[in-house]
Amino acid sequence: MCGIVGAVAERNVVNILLEGLKRLEYRGYDSAGVALVDNSQHIQRVRAVGKVQELVNAIEASPVAGTTGIAHTRWATHGSVTEANAHPHKSTNIALVHNGIIENHAPLRDMLKEKGYQFTSDTDTEVMAHLMHHERQSSGSLVEALQKMVKQLDGAYGTVMFDQNDKDTMVAARSGSPLVIGLGFEENFIASDQLALLPVTRRFIFLEEGDVAEVTKTSVRIFDKDGNPVEREEIESDVTHDAGDKGVYRHYMLKEIFEQPISVRNTLEGRLANGTVIDDAFGHNAADVFKDIEHVQIIACGTSYHAGMVARYWLEELAGVACNIEIASEFRYRKSFVPKNAMIVTISQSGETADTLAALRLAKEIGYKSSLTICNVPGSSLVRESDFNFMTRAGAEIGVASTKAFTTQLVSLLMLVLALGKHKNLSAEQQQNIVAALQSLPNKLEESLDLANDIEKLAEEFADKNHSLFLGRGNQYPIAMEGALKLKEISYIHAEAYAAGELKHGPLALIDAEMPIIVVAPNNDLLEKLKSNVEEVRARGGILYVFADKDAQFASDDTMRVLNVSHIDEVVAPILYTIPLQLLSYHVALIKGTDVDQPRNLAKSVTVE
Ligand code: GLU
């Protein structure tokens, strides 16, 4: 969500900043801007509402240049989407960008107004620029002013700024919103995500919570939250990013749907041996901790939450480990009971989800003994703050609506079931069966992608609908929820998911020919129950779209369209049935002409509360 890029160099950095912003575009944002300074010691600022291309056009029309610069893509939290509210914000000689939310912006604004500062935006961010200017008057250095400034802030921030009178220095602070320093040769960079800096460097230093940094062409100084100078480890990144390349696909989302067989293969690679998961796959000595775990508390948001819901079915049924799951934004604000021998498991594509990170910190505080994160971004905050991590290895996911991150999370969670279950209820034979089912998945996923053409045709029947219902039972219920979320996210059609047994407790009242009902129906123990639910819908004139195992014996007729999905071991069926639902949302969105990769109002990695 929102992005920051900064650079200090000998050369003009404007193109580095714009390229960096483009690489962060997939996160979703509403406006963008840059501020630069050169030998004239005068801030040049350009801002534009809309895509980064609008900013590029504005700069082409009236070029700016500078050897030090900062740039931002904004996802508005305070103040509407206007040029005046776009970052960078200025206060005389200071230019500043910010990701996050300043909660005490109102009293700070009042205090600064009393001192004579004039505000030109409605953002919470502008108070930081003026406060920084104010502190600069009585501080020996820019970094000292920043240290004094951040002490007065409540809320979350990743922020970078420069002073036109000290033009070869950028300073930055991190609290609740990630920042990474990129190291170059006689030039240095800073960004909210390493992806933005991959064209200029692979050497990175991740700032930690509470860190303040001063970055010049030739030096980096970091201070911890108490103001003490600290050394942070430099890492060589092996992350790849081919954001410029959609290949043969029209959208990143479609590319990412089709990448799933390969992503799942990558998730499994090197982690299974002798009919189970290898002990160290979750980290050194993980088995020593895992053997005593009796309770798992899963915390996640959005799509990751649905992955966690499937895991709850698996953990309790297969591993015999008690499992609770909660939405991070709820968990973090309530008093919860901490069971004995419990582990907290967070799930997040980006590893920077603000609510999930806050929930992890709370869990540690209230007494969870160990923590594990299932995450797609190495070096992210959740990875660094958890005892154990398991990387999903989905590769960079650019489409805002998550696809391959979800299926690789499910695969990872099933491997967690193996890792925990081997110390509990799971027999060697059951472990072998799960491993075989996991290994069969990539090919089955390939087969399910062959449904794309049929689904494209089916999608036409949805395009004029305003509402829809998704049904599933057991571990397919969360898959129905994920299907509904996908349709909402990218086609803007209202979609709800129900556990099929719940229909008669209310939602049946909604059924008519205008409400398509999507059903996921693998051939499992609950099939007969599900069939009864399907009949309940048919009896009331509903039109059904059933994704069914070919042996489940559903037949297409006037009120029911059936699409057959390959037969697969029940344990991994939730992963397989995800694919047709993703394809359905994609094709409906395509017909409706929405912005598939960057749906309205949404952002990729939700680093604000
Ligand atoms: N709260 C700030 C604003 O509304 C920053 C939002 C962001 O993280 O992009 O401008």
Side-chain angles (χ1 to χ4, degrees), residues 316-330:
E316 299 209 337
E317 183 180 327
L318 302 168
V321 174
C323 179
N324 275 344
I325 163 143
E326 191 161 353
I327 292 167
S329 57
E330 287 298 313

Side-chain angles (χ1 to χ4, degrees), residues 118-119 184 236 246 369 387 455 468 488 543-544 561:
Q118 281 174 6
F119 282 77
E236 187 87 23
K246 286 183 208 152
K369 291 261 163 3
D387 302 329
I455 292 174
S468 60
K488 279 185 268 213
I543 307 290
L544 286 138
R561 318 260 180 280

Side-chain angles (χ1 to χ4, degrees), residues 293-481:
I293 300 297
E294 284 164 23
H295 191 111
V296 166
Q297 172 69 57
I298 300 179
I299 300 290
C301 310
T303 289
S304 303
Y305 175 74
H306 298 150
M309 279 187 73
V310 177
R312 183 167 66 124
Y313 285 90
W314 284 335
L315 275 166
E316 299 209 337
E317 183 180 327
L318 302 168
V321 174
C323 179
N324 275 344
I325 163 143
E326 191 161 353
I327 292 167
S329 57
E330 287 298 313
F331 181 86
R332 65 179 290 193
Y333 289 120
R334 75 179 184 93
K335 282 207 169 68
S336 56
F337 175 77
V338 185
K340 239 178 70 203
N341 298 329
M343 175 162 75
I344 194 97
V345 175
T346 56
I347 312 172
S348 160
Q349 189 282 131
S350 67
E352 303 294 348
T353 315
D355 283 321
T356 310
L357 197 53
L360 168 66
R361 290 178 186 151
L362 173 71
K364 288 174 159 181
E365 233 172 79
I366 61 178
Y368 280 87
K369 291 261 163 3
S370 55
S371 55
L372 162 74
T373 190
I374 308 246
C375 182
N376 196 37
V377 179
S380 60
S381 299
L382 281 172
V383 169
R384 281 179 291 119
E385 295 191 26
S386 301
D387 302 329
F388 301 105
N389 65 72
F390 193 88
M391 304 313 300
T392 48
R393 299 185 188 156
E397 191 180 64
I398 308 291
V400 165
S402 186
T403 52
K404 61 178 180 170
F406 178 67
T407 42
T408 54
Q409 282 169 353
L410 288 173
V411 168
S412 305
L413 286 159
L414 194 49
M415 285 196 268
L416 176 64
V417 171
L418 288 169
L420 293 174
K422 65 165 92 167
H423 304 288
K424 302 275 177 322
N425 287 2
L426 263 189
S427 67
E429 194 189 335
Q430 279 176 305
Q431 291 174 51
Q432 274 163 15
N433 291 343
I434 294 174
V435 167
L438 279 169
Q439 283 167 334
S440 75
L441 248 181
N443 288 342
K444 295 283 180 181
L445 293 175
E446 295 274 6
E447 281 171 37
S448 70
L449 290 167
D450 292 342
L451 290 170
N453 289 343
D454 292 340
I455 292 174
E456 190 176 348
K457 287 192 204 102
L458 206 72
E460 283 164 22
E461 299 184 27
F462 282 73
D464 63 337
K465 298 287 188 284
N466 295 318
H467 307 278
S468 60
L469 217 57
F470 285 69
L471 302 179
R473 269 183 175 264
N475 61 20
Q476 294 283 350
Y477 167 45
I479 300 308
M481 293 174 80

Side-chain angles (χ1 to χ4, degrees), residues 28 84 357 557 582:
L357 197 53
D557 60 24
Q582 293 171 344

Side-chain angles (χ1 to χ4, degrees), residues 154-170:
D154 292 334
Y157 50 84
T159 179
V160 183
M161 64 214 74
F162 66 78
D163 178 343
Q164 67 182 21
N165 302 325
D166 184 2
K167 70 165 188 57
D168 291 325
T169 305
M170 286 187 296

